Amino acid sequence: MSKQILIDAAPWETRVAVLEDTTLGELYVERGRDRSVAGNVYKGSVVRVLPGMQAAFVDVGLEKAAFLHVSDLTGPDLVRAIVEEPGEDDVELEVTPPRRRVQFAPIEERLTKGQELLVQVSKEPIGSKGARVTANVSLPGRHLVHMPGTDHVGISRRIEDPEERERLRDAVESERSSPDGFIVRTACEGATKREIRDDVRFLTRLWAHVQQTAEGATAPALVHRDLDLVLRVLRDLFTADVERLVVDDPAEYTRIREFAEALMPRLAARVECYQGTTPLFEQFGVETKIARALERRVWLKSGGYLVIDQTESLTTIDVNTGRYVGKKDQEETVLRTNLEAAKQVVHQLRLRNIGGIIVIDFIDMEKLANRRKVFDSLQDAVRTDKARSTILQISELGLVQMTRKRTRESLGQLFLEACPHCDGLGRLRSTETIAYDALRRLSRAAADPERTGDLVLAVHPAVADFLAADGAAHVQALASRFGRPARVEARPDAARDEIGIERE
């Protein structure tokens, strides 16, 4: 499988697409005014302890207090008991680890109002909910993840060769001088002892710096900010199986190349600066794929289709045969549709970044063997997903219940907003998304040598108001860059998502 990373870098928004052959596997978006806080470390102050929920709210300086559960306060002095519980069957145990009931010391014995503590954001604020934080800080490097407060060396399950696992474990053990733990990342496979040593030393120094900064800070305070989206992509996704990384901004190319040469010199030559006149995402068909990822219905190659519905509490995915009628009996038709759907479901969960509780309604199958085939196919597909999932056995009715770890907003939450004309039952592209699309079109028009004269960006009044408040500097920057006057004009008769480029 050919794998590429495309980075569309603009002053107002950065988008990263991961292409697997010609398929859009994952999409990451970071907007300039709303930078991600996941991975940031804060010195926080407890504002409320909730014994009934075994949780606390912590002020870390964000708009809303962060949520801290007792399970995220784990440590040798916090765990009262660990009780092993057998799973229902071997198949489920292949998907989820053996279940353990951990009895924690009550949170009210550990935290009091006003107490200060170091926490890390493990889940972005989503919707009306504040961020979720953990007291178990972890600092990721290129090859390793530093786990202060633990005394364990773990190896990524994706590194399967026993000899390589043992080599990596020995290399980390020989370099770590403190009792703090490390996890060997998948990207560490094949790394030299020197690369591992450099990562151990860098992460150890980083943790010492975080502690020193925290000691001198008054809560609430940010004491460590994680990398921005572009550099996180290099650190976490730019691995040996990526054929090339293409970025469309020269300044970002220089920054990426310098980072790659310092952190992953063997891959630095695979970084390219896009020179084409057609916008990068359009050249590779990504814009069309993003639009499809926001649609409710997803067609399967066989003619069947999925219907994906998201609510605040869960996501439902309905599988239908559609135009596919098969060549043999009905059971065979249903099985083939469900097998194709299982792989597509996991792909859509990754692409749309859907997390939380998910219910998949496969088409009913009479034979137990066929239900097991579909479950096995779903299980195999989940193994390619970086997000942790838990899957329950398929029921006689064809229902599968699963959970997928959610750390950031889904594409729907990011790109869409509630429709004001249907009491929130429908979804439309948000004003911000339309405005940024308008800026991209203005940029293309300004760069077109065949277009002469001043440029007028004609848009709906709501979009014009947004650009006047948050995009005026970008419009002027584009005008200066291409040496052509440009302005935004509100058109009351324009449709909400209508964008026009006119000349004066």
Side-chain angles (χ1 to χ4, degrees), residues 83-140:
V83 182
E84 296 287 349
E85 293 186 336
E88 293 179 2
D89 52 61
D90 293 336
V91 174
E92 185 170 349
L93 293 181
E94 291 178 6
V95 183
T96 60
R99 279 173 263 164
R100 302 190 304 170
R101 186 175 73 251
V102 181
Q103 298 176 353
F104 298 102
I107 197 168
E108 60 269 25
E109 295 181 8
R110 300 298 309 173
L111 297 179
T112 58
K113 184 177 179 180
Q115 181 178 342
E116 296 184 347
L117 72 164
L118 206 62
V119 294
Q120 184 175 37
V121 176
S122 59
K123 183 185 294 185
E124 295 271 1
I126 298 176
S128 60
K129 298 179 181 179
R132 178 157 182 166
V133 295
T134 175
N136 302 312
V137 175
S138 61
L139 301 174

Side-chain angles (χ1 to χ4, degrees), residues 368-420:
L368 175 61
N370 288 342
R371 293 200 294 270
R372 187 170 291 273
K373 287 179 182 178
V374 172
F375 179 83
D376 290 344
S377 178
L378 183 66
Q379 176 183 327
D380 290 340
V382 163
R383 289 195 178 103
T384 66
D385 188 5
K386 290 184 175 65
R388 187 173 64 249
S389 297
T390 301
I391 308 178
L392 301 183
Q393 279 284 5
I394 189 169
S395 72
E396 293 184 4
L397 297 177
L399 294 177
V400 169
Q401 301 172 68
M402 65 177 290
T403 61
R404 184 175 185 269
K405 186 176 181 181
R406 174 166 44 197
T407 58
R408 54 190 172 91
E409 291 181 308
S410 68
L411 290 192
Q413 292 169 318
L414 185 64
F415 286 148
L416 306 176
E417 63 184 21
C419 174

Side-chain angles (χ1 to χ4, degrees), residues 151-164:
D151 186 14
H152 171 72
V153 175
I155 311 290
S156 168
R157 287 178 294 178
R158 298 179 189 272
I159 301 177
E160 299 178 350
D161 181 39
E163 293 185 2
E164 176 67 358

Side-chain angles (χ1 to χ4, degrees), residues 321-373:
T321 54
R323 298 188 296 263
Y324 182 54
V325 296
K327 297 181 179 180
K328 298 181 180 179
D329 56 29
Q330 181 180 2
E331 182 78 1
E332 181 68 18
T333 300
V334 168
L335 174 61
R336 289 186 176 276
T337 302
N338 283 340
L339 288 174
E340 184 184 1
K343 296 179 180 179
Q344 184 61 230
V345 162
V346 175
H347 170 69
Q348 292 297 322
L349 295 180
R350 286 178 57 211
L351 175 57
R352 299 173 186 235
N353 193 38
I354 294 175
I357 301 173
I358 301 157
V359 178
I360 309 167
D361 184 9
F362 288 104
I363 307 169
D364 292 350
M365 294 168 287
E366 296 181 0
K367 298 179 181 178
L368 175 61
N370 288 342
R371 293 200 294 270
R372 187 170 291 273
K373 287 179 182 178

Side-chain angles (χ1 to χ4, degrees), residues 142-143 156-159 168 184-190 239:
R142 170 61 177 171
H143 300 102
S156 168
R157 287 178 294 178
R158 298 179 189 272
I159 301 177
L168 295 172
V184 176
R185 308 185 71 177
T186 306
C188 191
E189 188 169 15
T239 52

Side-chain angles (χ1 to χ4, degrees), residues 243-261:
E243 292 186 0
R244 62 174 179 163
L245 182 150
V246 186
V247 59
D248 62 0
D249 181 79
E252 281 294 88
Y253 166 76
T254 300
R255 189 168 74 107
I256 290 170
R257 188 64 187 253
E258 291 175 351
F259 188 86
E261 288 174 348

